[in-house]
Amino acid sequence: MKLLIINGSPRKKGRTGIASRFIAKKYGVELIDLSIGEIPLYNGEEEQYQMPAVKALREKVANADGFILASPEYHSGMSGALKNALDFLGNEQFANKPVALLVVAGGGKGGINALSNMRIVGRGVYANVIPRQLVLDPDCFDYENDWLFEEPAKQVDQLMNDLQMYTNMYVQMKG
């Protein structure tokens, strides 16, 4: 079973990056970090698909069995960086594969709209977005150690347990 997390934050030192690195380290999940800025602005032109960063993104996603999409909440939606990366992908990479959603909220609005936005796009690429989802607030983070505190880490454990269950079923069904 191969899991992949996409850090959808354009910020190099943001909380979404902390959560993504936490998951990558604790669960041995491969990390795609969009804060590196290698993915160009999607314009739909064929030559973009030949760019090394886009080829690598598409290949890594195609080879994974399950995903965590992580995003900060920007104006009640997912980050533009994550949406842009997803625009380079489609059902060829995501069809029927389980996807867990994680949003990092900061403005007291709760993150639910960003989760809904991500869920809609997940349906658009034919992903199997799992029911459990998670919002992490600013007080969940141990900034000094680039980690999560104990209680939010338990919530991540629940999310990952569900994702692993759905991914195991997916792997068994595909043979």
Side-chain angles (χ1 to χ4, degrees), residues 3-6 23 66-71 82 94 97-103 115 118-119 127-134 156 158-164 166-167:
L3 298 177
L4 178 70
I5 183 164
I6 300 176
I23 291 170
F67 308 90
I68 306 99
L69 299 180
S71 178
L82 180 58
F94 280 107
K97 295 178 182 180
V99 175
L101 304 178
L102 184 149
V103 166
L115 288 168
M118 293 164 71
R119 191 169 289 280
N128 179 17
V129 181
I130 69 172
R132 188 178 301 272
Q133 54 193 20
L134 182 59
V156 171
Q158 293 173 335
L159 182 70
M160 292 303 295
N161 286 339
D162 281 13
L163 178 61
Q164 290 168 343
Y166 282 99
T167 304

PDB file of all heavy atoms in Angstrom, residues 3-6 23 66-71 82 94 97-103 115 118-119 127-134 156 158-164 166-167:
ATOM      1  N   LEU A   3       0.915   5.273   0.144  1.00  0.00           N
ATOM      2  CA  LEU A   3       0.173   6.497   0.436  1.00  0.00           C
ATOM      3  C   LEU A   3       1.020   7.712   0.102  1.00  0.00           C
ATOM      4  O   LEU A   3       2.244   7.681   0.209  1.00  0.00           O
ATOM      5  CB  LEU A   3      -0.243   6.537   1.907  1.00  0.00           C
ATOM      6  CG  LEU A   3      -1.172   5.428   2.371  1.00  0.00           C
ATOM      7  CD1 LEU A   3      -1.443   5.552   3.861  1.00  0.00           C
ATOM      8  CD2 LEU A   3      -2.473   5.440   1.586  1.00  0.00           C
ATOM      9  N   LEU A   4       0.332   8.788  -0.256  1.00  0.00           N
ATOM     10  CA  LEU A   4       0.983  10.023  -0.677  1.00  0.00           C
ATOM     11  C   LEU A   4       0.246  11.196  -0.050  1.00  0.00           C
ATOM     12  O   LEU A   4      -0.987  11.215  -0.053  1.00  0.00           O
ATOM     13  CB  LEU A   4       0.914  10.112  -2.202  1.00  0.00           C
ATOM     14  CG  LEU A   4       1.475  11.328  -2.904  1.00  0.00           C
ATOM     15  CD1 LEU A   4       2.996  11.339  -2.817  1.00  0.00           C
ATOM     16  CD2 LEU A   4       1.049  11.303  -4.370  1.00  0.00           C
ATOM     17  N   ILE A   5       0.976  12.148   0.510  1.00  0.00           N
ATOM     18  CA  ILE A   5       0.356  13.373   1.003  1.00  0.00           C
ATOM     19  C   ILE A   5       0.806  14.531   0.126  1.00  0.00           C
ATOM     20  O   ILE A   5       1.985  14.629  -0.229  1.00  0.00           O
ATOM     21  CB  ILE A   5       0.664  13.645   2.491  1.00  0.00           C
ATOM     22  CG1 ILE A   5      -0.088  14.900   2.959  1.00  0.00           C
ATOM     23  CG2 ILE A   5       2.148  13.746   2.780  1.00  0.00           C
ATOM     24  CD1 ILE A   5      -0.180  15.052   4.462  1.00  0.00           C
ATOM     25  N   ILE A   6      -0.142  15.376  -0.225  1.00  0.00           N
ATOM     26  CA  ILE A   6       0.170  16.591  -0.974  1.00  0.00           C
ATOM     27  C   ILE A   6      -0.025  17.772  -0.040  1.00  0.00           C
ATOM     28  O   ILE A   6      -1.137  18.040   0.414  1.00  0.00           O
ATOM     29  CB  ILE A   6      -0.707  16.734  -2.239  1.00  0.00           C
ATOM     30  CG1 ILE A   6      -0.495  15.546  -3.175  1.00  0.00           C
ATOM     31  CG2 ILE A   6      -0.386  18.059  -2.950  1.00  0.00           C
ATOM     32  CD1 ILE A   6      -1.377  15.550  -4.412  1.00  0.00           C
ATOM     33  N   ILE A  23       2.735  13.904   9.174  1.00  0.00           N
ATOM     34  CA  ILE A  23       2.139  12.689   8.604  1.00  0.00           C
ATOM     35  C   ILE A  23       3.177  11.901   7.814  1.00  0.00           C
ATOM     36  O   ILE A  23       3.269  10.677   7.941  1.00  0.00           O
ATOM     37  CB  ILE A  23       0.915  13.046   7.747  1.00  0.00           C
ATOM     38  CG1 ILE A  23      -0.220  13.542   8.660  1.00  0.00           C
ATOM     39  CG2 ILE A  23       0.465  11.860   6.895  1.00  0.00           C
ATOM     40  CD1 ILE A  23      -1.394  14.155   7.927  1.00  0.00           C
ATOM     41  N   GLY A  66      -3.449   5.618  -2.262  1.00  0.00           N
ATOM     42  CA  GLY A  66      -4.302   6.466  -1.439  1.00  0.00           C
ATOM     43  C   GLY A  66      -3.601   7.775  -1.139  1.00  0.00           C
ATOM     44  O   GLY A  66      -2.374   7.870  -1.267  1.00  0.00           O
ATOM     45  N   PHE A  67      -4.390   8.761  -0.719  1.00  0.00           N
ATOM     46  CA  PHE A  67      -3.873  10.127  -0.599  1.00  0.00           C
ATOM     47  C   PHE A  67      -4.407  10.855   0.612  1.00  0.00           C
ATOM     48  O   PHE A  67      -5.520  10.591   1.066  1.00  0.00           O
ATOM     49  CB  PHE A  67      -4.286  10.963  -1.821  1.00  0.00           C
ATOM     50  CG  PHE A  67      -3.953  10.328  -3.117  1.00  0.00           C
ATOM     51  CD1 PHE A  67      -4.859   9.494  -3.748  1.00  0.00           C
ATOM     52  CD2 PHE A  67      -2.724  10.525  -3.700  1.00  0.00           C
ATOM     53  CE1 PHE A  67      -4.545   8.880  -4.938  1.00  0.00           C
ATOM     54  CE2 PHE A  67      -2.397   9.915  -4.896  1.00  0.00           C
ATOM     55  CZ  PHE A  67      -3.312   9.087  -5.517  1.00  0.00           C
ATOM     56  N   ILE A  68      -3.626  11.829   1.047  1.00  0.00           N
ATOM     57  CA  ILE A  68      -4.080  12.863   1.958  1.00  0.00           C
ATOM     58  C   ILE A  68      -3.865  14.169   1.211  1.00  0.00           C
ATOM     59  O   ILE A  68      -2.752  14.455   0.751  1.00  0.00           O
ATOM     60  CB  ILE A  68      -3.286  12.903   3.287  1.00  0.00           C
ATOM     61  CG1 ILE A  68      -3.284  11.543   3.974  1.00  0.00           C
ATOM     62  CG2 ILE A  68      -3.864  13.991   4.203  1.00  0.00           C
ATOM     63  CD1 ILE A  68      -2.039  10.752   3.742  1.00  0.00           C
ATOM     64  N   LEU A  69      -4.926  14.922   1.042  1.00  0.00           N
ATOM     65  CA  LEU A  69      -4.805  16.266   0.495  1.00  0.00           C
ATOM     66  C   LEU A  69      -4.862  17.224   1.666  1.00  0.00           C
ATOM     67  O   LEU A  69      -5.836  17.225   2.428  1.00  0.00           O
ATOM     68  CB  LEU A  69      -5.939  16.566  -0.492  1.00  0.00           C
ATOM     69  CG  LEU A  69      -6.025  15.686  -1.725  1.00  0.00           C
ATOM     70  CD1 LEU A  69      -7.205  16.122  -2.596  1.00  0.00           C
ATOM     71  CD2 LEU A  69      -4.729  15.721  -2.526  1.00  0.00           C
ATOM     72  N   ALA A  70      -3.835  18.041   1.825  1.00  0.00           N
ATOM     73  CA  ALA A  70      -3.745  18.977   2.941  1.00  0.00           C
ATOM     74  C   ALA A  70      -3.697  20.395   2.389  1.00  0.00           C
ATOM     75  O   ALA A  70      -2.932  20.676   1.467  1.00  0.00           O
ATOM     76  CB  ALA A  70      -2.498  18.697   3.777  1.00  0.00           C
ATOM     77  N   SER A  71      -4.511  21.270   2.963  1.00  0.00           N
ATOM     78  CA  SER A  71      -4.561  22.645   2.471  1.00  0.00           C
ATOM     79  C   SER A  71      -4.852  23.605   3.601  1.00  0.00           C
ATOM     80  O   SER A  71      -5.635  23.295   4.502  1.00  0.00           O
ATOM     81  CB  SER A  71      -5.670  22.782   1.409  1.00  0.00           C
ATOM     82  OG  SER A  71      -5.756  24.120   0.949  1.00  0.00           O
ATOM     83  N   LEU A  82      -2.939  24.132  -4.324  1.00  0.00           N
ATOM     84  CA  LEU A  82      -3.471  22.775  -4.395  1.00  0.00           C
ATOM     85  C   LEU A  82      -4.416  22.626  -5.578  1.00  0.00           C
ATOM     86  O   LEU A  82      -4.320  21.661  -6.335  1.00  0.00           O
ATOM     87  CB  LEU A  82      -4.179  22.396  -3.094  1.00  0.00           C
ATOM     88  CG  LEU A  82      -4.768  20.981  -3.067  1.00  0.00           C
ATOM     89  CD1 LEU A  82      -3.691  19.920  -3.315  1.00  0.00           C
ATOM     90  CD2 LEU A  82      -5.479  20.727  -1.744  1.00  0.00           C
ATOM     91  N   PHE A  94      -6.572   9.393 -10.193  1.00  0.00           N
ATOM     92  CA  PHE A  94      -7.345   9.293  -8.957  1.00  0.00           C
ATOM     93  C   PHE A  94      -8.505   8.300  -8.957  1.00  0.00           C
ATOM     94  O   PHE A  94      -9.042   7.998  -7.895  1.00  0.00           O
ATOM     95  CB  PHE A  94      -7.934  10.665  -8.593  1.00  0.00           C
ATOM     96  CG  PHE A  94      -6.982  11.601  -7.925  1.00  0.00           C
ATOM     97  CD1 PHE A  94      -6.465  12.683  -8.614  1.00  0.00           C
ATOM     98  CD2 PHE A  94      -6.613  11.431  -6.604  1.00  0.00           C
ATOM     99  CE1 PHE A  94      -5.595  13.573  -7.999  1.00  0.00           C
ATOM    100  CE2 PHE A  94      -5.756  12.312  -5.979  1.00  0.00           C
ATOM    101  CZ  PHE A  94      -5.242  13.385  -6.677  1.00  0.00           C
ATOM    102  N   LYS A  97      -9.595   5.771  -6.081  1.00  0.00           N
ATOM    103  CA  LYS A  97      -8.607   5.718  -5.002  1.00  0.00           C
ATOM    104  C   LYS A  97      -9.087   6.536  -3.806  1.00  0.00           C
ATOM    105  O   LYS A  97      -9.648   7.618  -3.963  1.00  0.00           O
ATOM    106  CB  LYS A  97      -7.259   6.254  -5.477  1.00  0.00           C
ATOM    107  CG  LYS A  97      -6.616   5.399  -6.553  1.00  0.00           C
ATOM    108  CD  LYS A  97      -5.306   5.995  -7.015  1.00  0.00           C
ATOM    109  CE  LYS A  97      -4.662   5.197  -8.131  1.00  0.00           C
ATOM    110  NZ  LYS A  97      -3.390   5.806  -8.566  1.00  0.00           N
ATOM    111  N   PRO A  98      -8.850   6.033  -2.589  1.00  0.00           N
ATOM    112  CA  PRO A  98      -9.279   6.756  -1.395  1.00  0.00           C
ATOM    113  C   PRO A  98      -8.443   8.006  -1.142  1.00  0.00           C
ATOM    114  O   PRO A  98      -7.221   8.008  -1.320  1.00  0.00           O
ATOM    115  CB  PRO A  98      -9.099   5.750  -0.263  1.00  0.00           C
ATOM    116  CG  PRO A  98      -8.483   4.551  -0.838  1.00  0.00           C
ATOM    117  CD  PRO A  98      -8.303   4.723  -2.296  1.00  0.00           C
ATOM    118  N   VAL A  99      -9.145   9.053  -0.722  1.00  0.00           N
ATOM    119  CA  VAL A  99      -8.518  10.341  -0.423  1.00  0.00           C
ATOM    120  C   VAL A  99      -9.040  10.848   0.915  1.00  0.00           C
ATOM    121  O   VAL A  99     -10.255  10.926   1.123  1.00  0.00           O
ATOM    122  CB  VAL A  99      -8.818  11.384  -1.528  1.00  0.00           C
ATOM    123  CG1 VAL A  99      -8.263  12.755  -1.158  1.00  0.00           C
ATOM    124  CG2 VAL A  99      -8.264  10.933  -2.869  1.00  0.00           C
ATOM    125  N   ALA A 100      -8.124  11.197   1.807  1.00  0.00           N
ATOM    126  CA  ALA A 100      -8.466  11.848   3.071  1.00  0.00           C
ATOM    127  C   ALA A 100      -8.213  13.343   2.926  1.00  0.00           C
ATOM    128  O   ALA A 100      -7.274  13.755   2.237  1.00  0.00           O
ATOM    129  CB  ALA A 100      -7.622  11.277   4.208  1.00  0.00           C
ATOM    130  N   LEU A 101      -9.046  14.140   3.585  1.00  0.00           N
ATOM    131  CA  LEU A 101      -8.933  15.597   3.508  1.00  0.00           C
ATOM    132  C   LEU A 101      -8.538  16.171   4.853  1.00  0.00           C
ATOM    133  O   LEU A 101      -9.116  15.816   5.887  1.00  0.00           O
ATOM    134  CB  LEU A 101     -10.262  16.213   3.071  1.00  0.00           C
ATOM    135  CG  LEU A 101     -10.851  15.704   1.762  1.00  0.00           C
ATOM    136  CD1 LEU A 101     -12.195  16.376   1.513  1.00  0.00           C
ATOM    137  CD2 LEU A 101      -9.895  15.921   0.600  1.00  0.00           C
ATOM    138  N   LEU A 102      -7.577  17.093   4.823  1.00  0.00           N
ATOM    139  CA  LEU A 102      -7.117  17.791   6.020  1.00  0.00           C
ATOM    140  C   LEU A 102      -7.004  19.271   5.683  1.00  0.00           C
ATOM    141  O   LEU A 102      -6.392  19.634   4.681  1.00  0.00           O
ATOM    142  CB  LEU A 102      -5.756  17.237   6.450  1.00  0.00           C
ATOM    143  CG  LEU A 102      -5.168  17.790   7.734  1.00  0.00           C
ATOM    144  CD1 LEU A 102      -4.317  16.722   8.406  1.00  0.00           C
ATOM    145  CD2 LEU A 102      -4.343  19.026   7.507  1.00  0.00           C
ATOM    146  N   VAL A 103      -7.622  20.100   6.517  1.00  0.00           N
ATOM    147  CA  VAL A 103      -7.548  21.549   6.339  1.00  0.00           C
ATOM    148  C   VAL A 103      -6.961  22.166   7.592  1.00  0.00           C
ATOM    149  O   VAL A 103      -7.279  21.760   8.713  1.00  0.00           O
ATOM    150  CB  VAL A 103      -8.945  22.151   6.041  1.00  0.00           C
ATOM    151  CG1 VAL A 103      -8.951  23.657   6.195  1.00  0.00           C
ATOM    152  CG2 VAL A 103      -9.389  21.773   4.636  1.00  0.00           C
ATOM    153  N   LEU A 115     -13.009  22.186   3.232  1.00  0.00           N
ATOM    154  CA  LEU A 115     -13.203  20.738   3.107  1.00  0.00           C
ATOM    155  C   LEU A 115     -14.241  20.423   2.040  1.00  0.00           C
ATOM    156  O   LEU A 115     -14.050  19.519   1.222  1.00  0.00           O
ATOM    157  CB  LEU A 115     -13.627  20.133   4.448  1.00  0.00           C
ATOM    158  CG  LEU A 115     -12.547  20.056   5.516  1.00  0.00           C
ATOM    159  CD1 LEU A 115     -13.159  19.724   6.876  1.00  0.00           C
ATOM    160  CD2 LEU A 115     -11.479  19.048   5.151  1.00  0.00           C
ATOM    161  N   MET A 118     -12.748  20.953  -1.389  1.00  0.00           N
ATOM    162  CA  MET A 118     -11.843  19.862  -1.736  1.00  0.00           C
ATOM    163  C   MET A 118     -12.623  18.594  -2.089  1.00  0.00           C
ATOM    164  O   MET A 118     -12.268  17.862  -3.009  1.00  0.00           O
ATOM    165  CB  MET A 118     -10.874  19.597  -0.582  1.00  0.00           C
ATOM    166  CG  MET A 118      -9.898  20.744  -0.355  1.00  0.00           C
ATOM    167  SD  MET A 118      -9.062  20.669   1.242  1.00  0.00           S
ATOM    168  CE  MET A 118      -7.967  19.279   0.994  1.00  0.00           C
ATOM    169  N   ARG A 119     -13.710  18.348  -1.358  1.00  0.00           N
ATOM    170  CA  ARG A 119     -14.542  17.167  -1.610  1.00  0.00           C
ATOM    171  C   ARG A 119     -15.168  17.244  -3.006  1.00  0.00           C
ATOM    172  O   ARG A 119     -15.214  16.255  -3.737  1.00  0.00           O
ATOM    173  CB  ARG A 119     -15.616  17.054  -0.524  1.00  0.00           C
ATOM    174  CG  ARG A 119     -16.364  15.758  -0.504  1.00  0.00           C
ATOM    175  CD  ARG A 119     -17.217  15.640   0.763  1.00  0.00           C
ATOM    176  NE  ARG A 119     -16.403  15.436   1.946  1.00  0.00           N
ATOM    177  CZ  ARG A 119     -15.887  14.267   2.317  1.00  0.00           C
ATOM    178  NH1 ARG A 119     -16.085  13.196   1.574  1.00  0.00           N
ATOM    179  NH2 ARG A 119     -15.167  14.165   3.402  1.00  0.00           N
ATOM    180  N   ALA A 127     -12.186  10.527  -7.483  1.00  0.00           N
ATOM    181  CA  ALA A 127     -11.576   9.958  -6.283  1.00  0.00           C
ATOM    182  C   ALA A 127     -12.666   9.476  -5.335  1.00  0.00           C
ATOM    183  O   ALA A 127     -13.818   9.908  -5.405  1.00  0.00           O
ATOM    184  CB  ALA A 127     -10.709  11.006  -5.582  1.00  0.00           C
ATOM    185  N   ASN A 128     -12.294   8.589  -4.436  1.00  0.00           N
ATOM    186  CA  ASN A 128     -13.184   8.116  -3.380  1.00  0.00           C
ATOM    187  C   ASN A 128     -12.811   8.873  -2.105  1.00  0.00           C
ATOM    188  O   ASN A 128     -12.002   8.406  -1.307  1.00  0.00           O
ATOM    189  CB  ASN A 128     -13.023   6.604  -3.193  1.00  0.00           C
ATOM    190  CG  ASN A 128     -13.897   6.062  -2.085  1.00  0.00           C
ATOM    191  OD1 ASN A 128     -14.835   6.696  -1.644  1.00  0.00           O
ATOM    192  ND2 ASN A 128     -13.555   4.868  -1.628  1.00  0.00           N
ATOM    193  N   VAL A 129     -13.381  10.059  -1.940  1.00  0.00           N
ATOM    194  CA  VAL A 129     -13.072  10.879  -0.769  1.00  0.00           C
ATOM    195  C   VAL A 129     -13.756  10.249   0.438  1.00  0.00           C
ATOM    196  O   VAL A 129     -14.975  10.073   0.448  1.00  0.00           O
ATOM    197  CB  VAL A 129     -13.517  12.342  -0.968  1.00  0.00           C
ATOM    198  CG1 VAL A 129     -13.155  13.179   0.254  1.00  0.00           C
ATOM    199  CG2 VAL A 129     -12.880  12.932  -2.222  1.00  0.00           C
ATOM    200  N   ILE A 130     -12.955   9.878   1.430  1.00  0.00           N
ATOM    201  CA  ILE A 130     -13.483   9.139   2.578  1.00  0.00           C
ATOM    202  C   ILE A 130     -14.306  10.069   3.476  1.00  0.00           C
ATOM    203  O   ILE A 130     -14.129  11.289   3.467  1.00  0.00           O
ATOM    204  CB  ILE A 130     -12.359   8.427   3.361  1.00  0.00           C
ATOM    205  CG1 ILE A 130     -11.445   9.422   4.079  1.00  0.00           C
ATOM    206  CG2 ILE A 130     -11.552   7.504   2.436  1.00  0.00           C
ATOM    207  CD1 ILE A 130     -10.437   8.764   5.023  1.00  0.00           C
ATOM    208  N   PRO A 131     -15.226   9.478   4.253  1.00  0.00           N
ATOM    209  CA  PRO A 131     -16.095  10.316   5.098  1.00  0.00           C
ATOM    210  C   PRO A 131     -15.354  11.113   6.179  1.00  0.00           C
ATOM    211  O   PRO A 131     -15.658  12.285   6.405  1.00  0.00           O
ATOM    212  CB  PRO A 131     -17.048   9.301   5.744  1.00  0.00           C
ATOM    213  CG  PRO A 131     -17.029   8.122   4.839  1.00  0.00           C
ATOM    214  CD  PRO A 131     -15.649   8.085   4.241  1.00  0.00           C
ATOM    215  N   ARG A 132     -14.380  10.490   6.853  1.00  0.00           N
ATOM    216  CA  ARG A 132     -13.683  11.217   7.923  1.00  0.00           C
ATOM    217  C   ARG A 132     -12.808  12.302   7.302  1.00  0.00           C
ATOM    218  O   ARG A 132     -12.110  12.082   6.319  1.00  0.00           O
ATOM    219  CB  ARG A 132     -12.815  10.288   8.761  1.00  0.00           C
ATOM    220  CG  ARG A 132     -12.231  11.009  10.001  1.00  0.00           C
ATOM    221  CD  ARG A 132     -11.400  10.106  10.868  1.00  0.00           C
ATOM    222  NE  ARG A 132     -12.117   8.959  11.384  1.00  0.00           N
ATOM    223  CZ  ARG A 132     -12.817   8.961  12.527  1.00  0.00           C
ATOM    224  NH1 ARG A 132     -12.903  10.046  13.248  1.00  0.00           N
ATOM    225  NH2 ARG A 132     -13.432   7.852  12.921  1.00  0.00           N
ATOM    226  N   GLN A 133     -12.872  13.480   7.902  1.00  0.00           N
ATOM    227  CA  GLN A 133     -12.051  14.611   7.474  1.00  0.00           C
ATOM    228  C   GLN A 133     -11.604  15.350   8.726  1.00  0.00           C
ATOM    229  O   GLN A 133     -12.140  15.109   9.798  1.00  0.00           O
ATOM    230  CB  GLN A 133     -12.842  15.517   6.537  1.00  0.00           C
ATOM    231  CG  GLN A 133     -14.154  15.988   7.108  1.00  0.00           C
ATOM    232  CD  GLN A 133     -15.065  16.624   6.063  1.00  0.00           C
ATOM    233  OE1 GLN A 133     -14.919  16.421   4.879  1.00  0.00           O
ATOM    234  NE2 GLN A 133     -16.020  17.416   6.532  1.00  0.00           N
ATOM    235  N   LEU A 134     -10.634  16.238   8.587  1.00  0.00           N
ATOM    236  CA  LEU A 134     -10.041  16.841   9.779  1.00  0.00           C
ATOM    237  C   LEU A 134      -9.697  18.302   9.540  1.00  0.00           C
ATOM    238  O   LEU A 134      -9.170  18.656   8.480  1.00  0.00           O
ATOM    239  CB  LEU A 134      -8.767  16.065  10.160  1.00  0.00           C
ATOM    240  CG  LEU A 134      -8.010  16.503  11.403  1.00  0.00           C
ATOM    241  CD1 LEU A 134      -8.873  16.433  12.657  1.00  0.00           C
ATOM    242  CD2 LEU A 134      -6.768  15.633  11.574  1.00  0.00           C
ATOM    243  N   VAL A 156      -5.306  12.881  13.962  1.00  0.00           N
ATOM    244  CA  VAL A 156      -4.633  12.466  12.727  1.00  0.00           C
ATOM    245  C   VAL A 156      -4.561  10.941  12.672  1.00  0.00           C
ATOM    246  O   VAL A 156      -4.766  10.342  11.608  1.00  0.00           O
ATOM    247  CB  VAL A 156      -3.234  13.113  12.601  1.00  0.00           C
ATOM    248  CG1 VAL A 156      -2.453  12.500  11.440  1.00  0.00           C
ATOM    249  CG2 VAL A 156      -3.352  14.624  12.429  1.00  0.00           C
ATOM    250  N   GLN A 158      -6.724   8.828  13.830  1.00  0.00           N
ATOM    251  CA  GLN A 158      -8.047   8.352  13.409  1.00  0.00           C
ATOM    252  C   GLN A 158      -8.230   8.528  11.903  1.00  0.00           C
ATOM    253  O   GLN A 158      -8.729   7.625  11.224  1.00  0.00           O
ATOM    254  CB  GLN A 158      -9.147   9.098  14.158  1.00  0.00           C
ATOM    255  CG  GLN A 158      -9.192   8.788  15.633  1.00  0.00           C
ATOM    256  CD  GLN A 158     -10.170   9.673  16.386  1.00  0.00           C
ATOM    257  OE1 GLN A 158     -10.482  10.787  15.963  1.00  0.00           O
ATOM    258  NE2 GLN A 158     -10.655   9.184  17.505  1.00  0.00           N
ATOM    259  N   LEU A 159      -7.825   9.680  11.387  1.00  0.00           N
ATOM    260  CA  LEU A 159      -7.923   9.938   9.953  1.00  0.00           C
ATOM    261  C   LEU A 159      -7.084   8.919   9.177  1.00  0.00           C
ATOM    262  O   LEU A 159      -7.545   8.328   8.193  1.00  0.00           O
ATOM    263  CB  LEU A 159      -7.464  11.364   9.630  1.00  0.00           C
ATOM    264  CG  LEU A 159      -7.543  11.800   8.171  1.00  0.00           C
ATOM    265  CD1 LEU A 159      -9.001  11.970   7.738  1.00  0.00           C
ATOM    266  CD2 LEU A 159      -6.773  13.105   7.961  1.00  0.00           C
ATOM    267  N   MET A 160      -5.865   8.696   9.635  1.00  0.00           N
ATOM    268  CA  MET A 160      -4.973   7.772   8.942  1.00  0.00           C
ATOM    269  C   MET A 160      -5.458   6.323   9.056  1.00  0.00           C
ATOM    270  O   MET A 160      -5.323   5.550   8.102  1.00  0.00           O
ATOM    271  CB  MET A 160      -3.543   7.914   9.471  1.00  0.00           C
ATOM    272  CG  MET A 160      -2.893   9.248   9.132  1.00  0.00           C
ATOM    273  SD  MET A 160      -2.843   9.600   7.358  1.00  0.00           S
ATOM    274  CE  MET A 160      -1.746   8.295   6.797  1.00  0.00           C
ATOM    275  N   ASN A 161      -6.027   5.943  10.192  1.00  0.00           N
ATOM    276  CA  ASN A 161      -6.577   4.596  10.332  1.00  0.00           C
ATOM    277  C   ASN A 161      -7.691   4.366   9.311  1.00  0.00           C
ATOM    278  O   ASN A 161      -7.748   3.311   8.672  1.00  0.00           O
ATOM    279  CB  ASN A 161      -7.095   4.349  11.752  1.00  0.00           C
ATOM    280  CG  ASN A 161      -5.988   4.156  12.756  1.00  0.00           C
ATOM    281  OD1 ASN A 161      -4.858   3.827  12.400  1.00  0.00           O
ATOM    282  ND2 ASN A 161      -6.289   4.382  14.021  1.00  0.00           N
ATOM    283  N   ASP A 162      -8.572   5.354   9.171  1.00  0.00           N
ATOM    284  CA  ASP A 162      -9.648   5.229   8.188  1.00  0.00           C
ATOM    285  C   ASP A 162      -9.085   5.174   6.772  1.00  0.00           C
ATOM    286  O   ASP A 162      -9.508   4.343   5.961  1.00  0.00           O
ATOM    287  CB  ASP A 162     -10.634   6.398   8.314  1.00  0.00           C
ATOM    288  CG  ASP A 162     -11.605   6.217   9.467  1.00  0.00           C
ATOM    289  OD1 ASP A 162     -11.391   5.337  10.319  1.00  0.00           O
ATOM    290  OD2 ASP A 162     -12.590   6.993   9.516  1.00  0.00           O
ATOM    291  N   LEU A 163      -8.137   6.048   6.472  1.00  0.00           N
ATOM    292  CA  LEU A 163      -7.551   6.043   5.129  1.00  0.00           C
ATOM    293  C   LEU A 163      -6.884   4.707   4.832  1.00  0.00           C
ATOM    294  O   LEU A 163      -7.048   4.157   3.735  1.00  0.00           O
ATOM    295  CB  LEU A 163      -6.545   7.191   4.966  1.00  0.00           C
ATOM    296  CG  LEU A 163      -5.837   7.243   3.610  1.00  0.00           C
ATOM    297  CD1 LEU A 163      -6.834   7.435   2.467  1.00  0.00           C
ATOM    298  CD2 LEU A 163      -4.778   8.334   3.602  1.00  0.00           C
ATOM    299  N   GLN A 164      -6.163   4.165   5.784  1.00  0.00           N
ATOM    300  CA  GLN A 164      -5.506   2.875   5.581  1.00  0.00           C
ATOM    301  C   GLN A 164      -6.524   1.762   5.367  1.00  0.00           C
ATOM    302  O   GLN A 164      -6.324   0.882   4.525  1.00  0.00           O
ATOM    303  CB  GLN A 164      -4.571   2.571   6.757  1.00  0.00           C
ATOM    304  CG  GLN A 164      -3.352   3.472   6.765  1.00  0.00           C
ATOM    305  CD  GLN A 164      -2.554   3.403   8.047  1.00  0.00           C
ATOM    306  OE1 GLN A 164      -3.028   2.941   9.071  1.00  0.00           O
ATOM    307  NE2 GLN A 164      -1.329   3.903   7.998  1.00  0.00           N
ATOM    308  N   TYR A 166      -9.614   2.079   4.036  1.00  0.00           N
ATOM    309  CA  TYR A 166     -10.160   2.235   2.689  1.00  0.00           C
ATOM    310  C   TYR A 166      -9.121   1.880   1.616  1.00  0.00           C
ATOM    311  O   TYR A 166      -9.461   1.297   0.586  1.00  0.00           O
ATOM    312  CB  TYR A 166     -10.675   3.660   2.471  1.00  0.00           C
ATOM    313  CG  TYR A 166     -12.022   3.913   3.099  1.00  0.00           C
ATOM    314  CD1 TYR A 166     -12.124   4.547   4.329  1.00  0.00           C
ATOM    315  CD2 TYR A 166     -13.191   3.519   2.459  1.00  0.00           C
ATOM    316  CE1 TYR A 166     -13.358   4.790   4.906  1.00  0.00           C
ATOM    317  CE2 TYR A 166     -14.432   3.755   3.033  1.00  0.00           C
ATOM    318  CZ  TYR A 166     -14.511   4.389   4.258  1.00  0.00           C
ATOM    319  OH  TYR A 166     -15.731   4.616   4.831  1.00  0.00           O
ATOM    320  N   THR A 167      -7.865   2.226   1.872  1.00  0.00           N
ATOM    321  CA  THR A 167      -6.815   1.923   0.896  1.00  0.00           C
ATOM    322  C   THR A 167      -6.578   0.420   0.808  1.00  0.00           C
ATOM    323  O   THR A 167      -6.389  -0.119  -0.291  1.00  0.00           O
ATOM    324  CB  THR A 167      -5.516   2.674   1.252  1.00  0.00           C
ATOM    325  OG1 THR A 167      -5.806   4.071   1.327  1.00  0.00           O
ATOM    326  CG2 THR A 167      -4.446   2.450   0.187  1.00  0.00           C
TER     327      THR A 167
END
